[in-house]
Amino acid sequence: MRLTRTQVIQRGFIFAFCILLAILSILPFWVMIVNATRSSAQIQGSAFSLIPSSSFAYNYSRMMRAGAFNPFIGYLNSAIVSVGATVLGMYFSSLTAFALVVYQWRFRKAFFAFIVAIMMIPAQVTTIGFFQFMLQIKFNNNLLPLILPSIASPTIVFFMRQYLLGSLSLDIVNSARIDNASEFRIFNQIILPLMKPAIATQAIFVFVSTWNNFLIPRVLLSDMKLFTMPIMVSLLRNDIYRVEYGTIFLGLTMSVLPLFVVYFTLSKYIIAGVALGGVKE
Amino acid sequence: MRHKGINYAKYGYLFSLPFILSFLIFTLYPIIYTVMISFSDLKGAGMNEFKILEAPFDNFRLILNNNLFKTSLGNTVLIWVMNFIPQILLALILTWWFTSRVYSVRGQGAFKVLFYMPNIITAASIAMLYYSLFSYPIGAVNSLLQNLHLFSSPKDFLMDKWATRSIVAFIQFWMWYGYTMLILISGVLGINPELFEAADIDGASDWQTFIYVTLPNVRTIVLYTLVTSLIGGMQMFDIPRLFAMGGPDNATHTASIFIYTQAFEGPRFLNRAAAASMIMFIFIAILSAIIFYIMRDKEEEKIKQQRKLADKAATQKRGLSR
């Protein structure tokens, strides 16, 4: 396609604009990482710098000694919760989708309509009741209430159902039945591997959103040994860090580091996955 | 679906059971519990026993007349609108550029990755990061503005109601425009390419094609992002809470912060918090219902139109074959 002169100028403008937006995405994180390596005195001199300095080790030892923010406890608890929620969410959502696609049962349509209906329930309307209920059964200060609810994830069931409808032929199920495989085995050994691509996409999003969850863990957990990363981060607002500028930025950097690693290694799949999610409606 | 006389239907129930049980325990029961609490006298830390009030709607009346709740609801809607309008506009413009054949932006893949990136990062960390960047008198933003000689002395952004609200709205915008753009682009890629070819043959300009072909065809997706953004926006908590603690002077006190502070701070009015969350639930449901209603009408119209066209085509065909 031949371009007119104005179109060439427009192209240049658009490209420059996109570069600006890209800088806007990176800059806050860049300043954060740089400041994590600068001393409080340097930051007091000028808090904006793009060049790393040499106080990383000092900031690190201050952070570990201050006592409130502990990145490793945060990593451990967030990892337990996120991995647990992802594994349970993927397995049981696939199982529910399998039940919806393969079997003809009386309430199948009603159950699917129900799943669509509850997809839109805002999580926070259940918070007070959820908290009181967990308190009653002494489940507060326990990571399980952050993991188990993912067994019922309507949005993921919806997605898995769409995927199965498009990719599963009932012949596979029927021929496995002729070989006398039990229904449960058919699901575990044939269907689950078949759903790998869908599971991979959804797993990333469940993992990340569980990792990032702040409100529910904040409400349930009061034992510092159980704090997940987002709660750890909120501790950086504590007065003991008031003038420890470098330490705050180091803590922030450590809190987002795993997400950066996950994002930049899997960005291709994540971007494709977001696009898939949008088509579902 | 019967095979060798085995009734497979029972497996449908069996395999749905874990989902149903988990839903009953972790969603339905907490909802019912919240409703009960909203009609009760429950307050205080660690309290679990309560009785239903003689005038069960007292908490609702109290909340609806509470000035802080009204302010919070107003802030929530205001900050959401302040973030959503620029967000959808920028997302639409970027969608136009990224899907246009004339502009075919170079390095699109990298841009998409960078624009979407803030969305995946912990909101709590982002709120704390911006809090540090905007801090006073020593903060990166103040340093930058002074280095550029835009400000002569540092400004305490977090003492200014509108500045704080705007920054919260900006953070939300910054975290979500990339997501909205990706959703819209995938919608545009799903449009029948023949429509674009037809527009090309008719000599439509790139802008005209976007306005008259692309936009009407992604209307459903725009409404989808509107609904999901609205539901999310009405529950906005992490950013205004950790960035500004709801201040200054309650300027960023959102409905969710209201519910949280009622239930988990001070005298812990769990009953009032529950009533407030029910009110928010109804508010969100009504807003969503309105938007869904608009959406459904359009869909049905479309189907009716398509049917008419199909009928017409069928009669024409019949006419031709005669």
Side-chain angles (χ1 to χ4, degrees):
Chain A
M1 191 183 281
R2 277 189 72 121
L3 296 173
T4 64
R5 216 184 132 143
T6 20
Q7 280 171 338
V8 173
I9 294 168
Q10 282 170 336
R11 265 192 173 190
F13 169 78
I14 290 168
F15 190 73
F17 187 79
C18 288
I19 292 281
L20 257 168
L21 284 178
I23 292 172
L24 193 65
S25 281
I26 299 167
L27 195 64
F29 297 113
W30 187 256
V31 172
M32 169 187 82
I33 293 167
V34 167
N35 276 348
T37 67
R38 300 172 79 218
S39 68
S40 291
Q42 281 172 322
I43 296 174
Q44 269 170 344
S46 171
F48 183 82
S49 170
L50 299 175
I51 308 142
S53 181
S54 56
S55 296
F56 176 82
Y58 175 79
N59 287 338
Y60 184 81
S61 71
R62 292 291 302 181
M63 178 180 76
M64 295 311 288
R65 248 183 299 144
F69 179 85
N70 187 324
F72 299 104
I73 292 177
Y75 284 154
L76 179 69
N77 291 321
S78 280
I80 293 171
V81 170
S82 305
V83 169
T86 308
V87 170
L88 290 183
M90 290 306 112
Y91 186 81
F92 287 105
S93 300
S94 304
L95 187 66
T96 312
F98 182 65
L100 279 167
V101 170
V102 170
Y103 304 102
Q104 302 288 330
W105 42 297
R106 198 160 161 209
F107 299 107
R108 182 167 84 150
K109 279 201 178 125
F111 183 51
F112 179 64
F114 167 75
I115 284 177
V116 174
I118 62 174
M119 264 166 59
M120 288 294 181
I121 293 180
Q124 297 192 10
V125 303
T126 66
T127 309
I128 307 289
F130 186 71
F131 169 73
Q132 285 300 115
F133 177 36
M134 291 304 124
L135 203 65
Q136 206 171 29
I137 59 173
K138 303 246 171 353
F139 246 39
N140 60 320
N141 278 323
N142 191 322
L143 296 179
L144 281 175
L146 303 176
I147 298 173
L148 295 178
S150 74
I151 292 173
S153 317
T155 1
I156 299 166
V157 174
F158 187 92
F159 181 88
M160 295 299 189
R161 176 182 171 271
Q162 302 300 96
Y163 185 83
L164 267 185
L165 280 176
S167 66
L168 177 74
S169 112
L170 287 179
D171 295 343
I172 302 174
V173 180
N174 284 330
S175 61
R177 279 176 186 160
I178 291 165
D179 294 340
N180 268 329
S182 75
E183 298 299 305
F184 192 55
R185 239 186 91 187
I186 292 175
F187 173 73
N188 283 325
Q189 300 194 340
I190 300 170
I191 307 302
L192 219 46
L194 199 80
M195 295 183 74
K196 253 186 205 157
I199 290 174
T201 317
Q202 292 298 301
I204 301 169
F205 291 102
V206 174
F207 185 91
V208 170
S209 64
T210 313
W211 182 286
N212 289 342
N213 192 6
F214 174 65
L215 181 65
I216 302 292
R218 178 76 192 78
V219 164
L220 281 178
L221 307 172
S222 54
D223 181 356
M224 279 180 74
K225 283 194 208 75
L226 293 173
F227 279 4
T228 57
M229 207 47 171
I231 310 177
M232 284 289 175
V233 165
S234 71
L235 297 181
L236 292 171
R237 238 178 182 280
N238 197 314
D239 269 350
I240 50 174
Y241 298 105
R242 245 178 90 86
V243 286
E244 299 288 344
Y245 302 105
T247 308
I248 293 178
F249 282 107
L250 179 61
L252 285 170
T253 305
M254 293 199 69
S255 80
V256 300
L257 201 64
L259 291 167
F260 272 124
V261 173
V262 168
Y263 185 60
F264 286 108
T265 39
L266 300 173
S267 63
K268 209 174 107 188
Y269 305 97
I270 294 175
I271 298 292
V274 177
L276 270 179
V279 194
K280 73 185 172 201
E281 279 300 295
Chain B
M1 285 300 289
R2 270 159 203 265
H3 183 73
K4 289 185 202 160
I6 303 168
N7 180 10
Y8 287 112
K10 68 173 182 207
Y11 291 103
Y13 296 98
L14 189 66
F15 291 165
S16 305
L17 199 61
F19 181 100
I20 294 168
L21 282 180
S22 172
F23 174 79
L24 291 177
I25 297 168
F26 296 111
T27 307
L28 189 64
Y29 182 65
I31 290 177
I32 296 169
Y33 208 172
T34 311
V35 175
M36 299 294 284
I37 293 171
S38 73
F39 293 129
S40 79
D41 62 353
L42 182 67
K43 68 169 188 176
M47 294 298 287
N48 237 326
E49 271 160 46
F50 60 84
K51 58 176 193 293
I52 302 298
L53 294 170
E54 276 173 32
F57 286 97
D58 257 10
N59 294 319
F60 289 85
R61 206 166 36 82
L62 219 90
I63 291 296
L64 288 171
N65 288 319
N66 184 307
N67 281 327
L68 184 57
F69 181 71
K70 286 182 209 163
T71 310
S72 305
L73 193 56
N75 286 333
T76 312
V77 174
L78 185 68
I79 293 171
W80 178 72
V81 171
M82 281 165 68
N83 115 78
F84 189 73
I85 291 174
Q87 179 192 320
I88 193 79
L89 287 179
L90 180 62
L92 280 169
I93 292 170
L94 289 171
T95 303
W96 170 37
W97 289 343
F98 278 23
T99 56
S100 145
R101 273 179 295 173
V102 179
Y103 301 124
S104 66
V105 182
R106 259 185 234 171
Q108 265 195 40
F111 283 135
K112 282 182 190 167
V113 168
L114 289 175
F115 295 173
Y116 179 66
M117 179 185 67
N119 193 263
I120 217 120
I121 307 297
T122 318
S125 297
I126 285 181
M128 278 304 299
L129 173 59
Y130 274 82
Y131 171 69
S132 306
L133 294 178
F134 277 95
S135 70
Y136 167 87
I138 295 141
V141 174
N142 269 317
S143 293
L144 183 65
L145 290 172
Q146 280 173 290
N147 290 350
L148 296 172
H149 299 288
L150 291 169
F151 281 14
S152 53
S153 59
K155 179 180 164 60
D156 195 350
F157 294 97
L158 282 143
M159 285 303 284
D160 185 321
K161 288 174 87 161
W162 280 102
T164 312
R165 265 191 205 124
S166 306
I167 297 167
V168 171
F170 170 79
I171 299 172
Q172 296 280 348
F173 155 84
W174 177 77
M175 283 183 77
W176 287 94
Y177 80 90
Y179 168 83
T180 307
M181 177 195 78
L182 289 179
I183 299 276
L184 288 173
I185 289 176
S186 88
V188 172
L189 296 180
I191 298 172
N192 185 351
E194 280 173 26
L195 288 174
F196 291 112
E197 280 160 30
D200 223 28
I201 292 164
D202 290 346
S205 75
D206 204 59
W207 171 247
Q208 284 171 327
T209 310
F210 181 73
I211 293 293
Y212 296 111
V213 179
T214 313
L215 270 191
N217 278 293
V218 292
R219 197 171 46 197
T220 328
I221 295 171
V222 172
L223 282 162
Y224 165 75
T225 58
L226 178 69
V227 173
T228 48
S229 169
L230 183 79
I231 294 176
M234 291 304 108
Q235 302 181 72
M236 194 185 330
F237 178 78
D238 303 10
I239 304 280
R241 168 82 186 177
L242 287 175
F243 175 70
M245 296 307 267
D249 198 14
N250 297 327
T252 56
H253 205 89
T254 61
S256 285
I257 296 180
F258 178 86
I259 293 167
Y260 177 86
T261 47
Q262 286 286 315
F264 304 111
E265 280 174 7
R268 293 169 201 244
F269 287 111
L270 289 151
N271 52 355
R272 293 181 194 171
S277 52
M278 283 302 118
I279 292 168
M280 281 313 289
F281 182 47
I282 294 163
F283 184 66
I284 293 171
I286 292 172
L287 287 178
S288 312
I290 292 170
I291 297 167
F292 271 122
Y293 177 75
I294 300 166
M295 199 148 90
R296 173 161 308 153
D297 257 1
K298 302 260 158 75
E299 285 283 272
E300 272 173 3
E301 263 169 41
K302 224 188 261 170
I303 292 165
K304 266 184 205 160
Q305 268 180 354
Q306 275 167 352
R307 245 184 235 148
K308 257 188 210 161
L309 281 174
D311 283 351
K312 234 187 203 171
T315 34
Q316 272 175 352
K317 240 187 202 165
R318 247 176 269 141
L320 282 175
S321 61
R322 241 175 239 160

